[in-house]
Amino acid sequence: MRHWKDIAAAVRQGCRLSAEDALILWHDAPLWSLSELALQRKRAVSGDKVYFNRNFHLEPTNICVFNCKFCSYRKPKGSAEAWDMSMEDVERMVQGYVGSGVTEVHIVGGVHPEHDLYYYADMIRRVKAILPDVSVKAFTAIELAWMINRSGLSIREGLQLLIDAGMDAIPGGGAEIFDEQIRKQICPDKGSTAEWLAIHREAHLLGLKTNATMLYGHIESLEHRIDHLLRLRALQDATQGFNAFIPLKYRNFGNSLSAIGEVSIVDDLRTLAMSRLILDNLPHIKAYWVMYGKQTTELALSFGADDIDGTIDDTTKIYSMAGAEEQRPRMSVADMRAMVSRVGFRAVERDTLYNEIDND
């Protein structure tokens, strides 16, 4: 078995990690060494830049046909905590951002049993009618698979319909853990790994950029995390369609896996660093500040992350309902610039496709 120092030396020379070497490095390398290696890779891609954007989330509903064991967001229809925004509600919310300088609206929510592909295409058109210059990054692959299957269209036909309505990119949610046996335990009725990968592959072939995620820190092992990252790396080799990877930490409040607790900040940092090292063909690693909290996000910038997401403006409930410390997530541009500068990097505003925006 190779020593972690030999593997680290190979990584410094630009060698690609195998599953076996990744496991040794992840398990054995000291935290400082992973930070050093991840920072080297990060600087090769983005220098001293750390990206952010001006965005808000639109979460039309938390009513969902699926009932994943890790989810604190989903509520059944009729629950006092459930919501289902009307199109008029959506338009009122979006109207509030006219003239605000936002460049992206991020639309995700529950998989509503009664809303189909044409319903959501209409929603995108209404958003674009109010904010024509704002990018719409919309719907996880799980949402997309449900609405496209329900419509009777092929994946390509369904995605094209949404593109024609104004969809500009796809977020990375719903990936969870790709290992099929783990998936059967944590989200048995949810869309499959094959469906998630097929949606993103087809999106890339149509010219859509997408993100990717991994939900970690529940019942999976390091081997499962590595397998997940390698499947993403293989798809990126084939399509070059992923913009960013976001490791998502399992939060344990208010769901049926609560008894297992949460992993440590050290685990978070090791996961960020190893994501950067394994995903050598994927340009950006995002430390999602709403999930980690501001202090851990600052630490994450020394472990390979080069993006902290956006201003948010208290428009997402997915992590606050799961017990994240950021219960009213909102940061100003000045706050984000200050966070990045405190750890010696340069904050750069971007749009959805990582084109830099000069607002200085």
Side-chain angles (χ1 to χ4, degrees):
M1 187 174 69
R2 298 178 74 190
H3 195 277
W4 74 262
K5 289 184 178 179
D6 298 322
I7 299 167
V11 168
R12 290 189 192 96
Q13 297 302 312
C15 293
R16 174 168 270 196
L17 283 169
S18 66
E20 295 76 16
D21 285 350
L23 183 60
I24 295 167
L25 194 64
W26 200 322
H27 189 268
D28 293 346
L31 195 60
W32 64 263
S33 182
L34 289 182
S35 172
E36 176 194 33
L37 292 169
L39 274 175
Q40 180 188 39
R41 283 281 175 89
K42 179 263 179 225
R43 290 185 185 280
V45 173
S46 50
D48 66 344
K49 300 173 184 176
V50 170
Y51 295 97
F52 71 94
N53 69 345
R54 303 184 200 218
N55 65 345
F56 70 97
H57 285 221
L58 173 58
E59 296 174 357
T61 186
N62 66 340
I63 297 168
C64 189
V65 298
F66 303 124
N67 192 12
C68 303
K69 293 183 179 180
F70 55 79
C71 184
S72 310
Y73 178 78
R74 180 258 191 197
K75 301 299 175 187
K77 190 173 182 179
S79 166
E81 297 177 273
W83 68 83
D84 185 14
M85 296 172 70
S86 68
M87 287 296 185
E88 292 71 27
D89 293 333
V90 169
E91 289 176 323
R92 276 192 293 272
M93 180 178 180
V94 174
Q95 192 69 44
Y97 288 92
V98 172
S100 67
V102 298
T103 61
E104 177 185 288
V105 53
H106 181 125
I107 309 177
V108 297
V111 180
H112 195 288
E114 299 166 13
H115 297 165
D116 62 12
L117 184 68
Y118 302 97
Y119 177 91
Y120 288 110
D122 182 40
M123 183 180 292
I124 292 172
R125 282 191 291 268
R126 290 175 186 237
V127 171
K128 282 287 196 177
I130 298 168
L131 295 173
D133 298 324
V134 168
S135 294
V136 173
K137 185 171 72 179
F139 313 124
T140 68
I142 301 303
E143 292 171 89
L144 290 166
W146 171 269
M147 64 178 77
I148 291 171
N149 288 338
R150 196 165 184 262
S151 73
L153 299 178
S154 69
I155 293 174
R156 176 173 285 261
E157 290 168 338
L159 290 176
Q160 189 62 60
L161 187 150
L162 294 173
I163 291 168
D164 293 343
M167 184 173 73
D168 299 292
I170 296 174
E176 321 315 355
I177 283 286
F178 286 153
D179 181 85
E180 288 78 4
Q181 296 307 309
I182 295 294
R183 208 172 181 89
K184 284 179 182 178
Q185 296 178 64
I186 65 171
C187 50
D189 56 350
K190 196 170 194 171
S192 68
T193 296
E195 283 182 305
W196 192 98
L197 293 169
I199 291 283
H200 282 266
R201 179 184 293 275
E202 197 63 52
H204 297 169
L205 295 177
L206 286 169
L208 279 178
K209 290 293 186 179
T210 76
N211 289 343
T213 62
M214 175 180 70
L215 183 71
Y216 71 93
H218 41 91
I219 64 169
E220 88 291 352
S221 66
L222 290 186
E223 287 89 345
H224 294 135
R225 296 187 203 178
I226 291 167
D227 169 71
H228 186 102
L229 294 169
L230 290 177
R231 294 198 211 193
L232 290 175
R233 190 173 77 181
L235 182 53
Q236 182 74 342
D237 279 343
T239 66
Q240 295 299 306
F242 289 121
N243 257 341
F245 172 72
I246 309 103
L248 296 175
K249 178 175 184 168
Y250 164 71
R251 293 287 187 173
N252 75 331
F253 177 79
N255 59 67
S256 60
L257 294 180
S258 293
I260 67 175
E262 296 178 359
V263 297
S264 68
I265 292 175
V266 171
D267 196 338
D268 297 333
L269 299 177
R270 297 182 82 85
T271 299
L272 279 158
M274 289 303 302
S275 298
R276 172 64 79 178
L277 297 177
I278 294 171
L279 296 174
D280 53 25
N281 56 357
L282 211 151
H284 304 291
I285 304 294
K286 183 182 293 189
Y288 184 37
W289 72 266
V290 175
M291 173 198 65
Y292 282 131
K294 295 169 186 175
Q295 290 183 322
T296 302
T297 299
E298 284 192 29
L299 287 172
L301 299 182
S302 296
F303 287 82
D306 71 342
D307 190 291
I308 56 174
D309 200 76
T311 48
I312 303 292
D313 196 31
D314 191 20
T315 53
T316 179
K317 292 182 168 59
I318 293 173
Y319 266 94
S320 61
M321 290 174 73
E325 61 187 77
E326 303 293 341
Q327 287 293 298
R328 301 294 300 273
R330 176 188 285 116
M331 271 212 281
S332 69
V333 169
D335 291 336
M336 302 192 93
R337 292 190 183 280
M339 173 188 285
V340 172
S341 67
R342 277 195 295 271
V343 285
F345 292 103
R346 179 163 57 97
V348 175
E349 185 174 354
R350 61 163 177 86
D351 66 12
T352 298
L353 301 180
Y354 285 85
N355 298 304
E356 295 182 11
I357 299 172
D358 184 4
N359 277 329
D360 290 337

